[in-house]
């Protein structure tokens, strides 16, 4: 394979080792964030979604973007529960 790609064997193994070392801390941080997002989502009974969870994380000292939380929720298959709209106070249905 190294001959086909025209790279040295030592260069390939050096690249592979560097890549594994670089991605390990990122994977650990991603797993920790996923656990925090899952816990907040569960604590809110599934009501909190990507807009609210970053605010809770910020209060706890973890600054995370809404899109990062949305990606974490997608990875885990989490969705927020949409509540029905509130009825006006004077409606006959109440």
């Amino acid at each position: 394979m190294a001959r086909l790609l025209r790279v040295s064997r030592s260069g390939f193994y050096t690249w592979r080792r560097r890549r594994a070392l670089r991605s390990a801390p990122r994977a650990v941080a991603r797993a920790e964030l996923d656990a925090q997002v899952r816990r907040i989502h569960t604590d809110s009974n599934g009501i909190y979604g990507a807009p609210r969870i970053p605010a809770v994380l910020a209060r706890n000292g973890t600054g995370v973007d809404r899109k990062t939380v949305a990606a974490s929720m997608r990875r885990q298959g989490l969705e927020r529960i949409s509540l029905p709209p509130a009825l006006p106070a004077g409606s006959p249905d109440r």
Side-chain angles (χ1 to χ4, degrees):
M1 184 59 89
R3 200 174 323 129
L4 179 69
L5 295 174
R6 294 184 178 156
V7 295
S8 65
R9 285 184 188 176
S10 62
F12 168 75
Y13 287 113
T14 302
W15 169 81
R16 191 173 77 170
R17 186 180 66 245
R18 263 189 273 135
R19 184 171 175 220
L21 291 174
R22 181 180 54 195
S23 65
R26 189 177 300 163
V28 170
R30 186 179 300 136
E32 289 173 359
L33 176 67
D34 286 351
Q36 289 178 337
V37 168
R38 188 179 324 106
R39 183 184 48 79
I40 293 169
H41 185 265
T42 304
D43 290 348
S44 71
N45 295 323
I47 294 173
Y48 284 8
R52 283 190 184 171
I53 291 176
V56 174
L57 287 170
R59 276 186 253 134
N60 295 337
T62 304
V64 180
D65 186 49
R66 178 188 60 82
K67 290 183 178 183
T68 304
V69 171
S72 173
M73 290 180 70
R74 263 194 312 276
R75 266 195 311 274
Q76 300 180 69
L78 301 175
E79 292 182 356
R80 76 176 187 94
I81 297 171
S82 297
L83 297 177
L87 296 174
S91 71
D93 294 332
R94 283 200 166 184

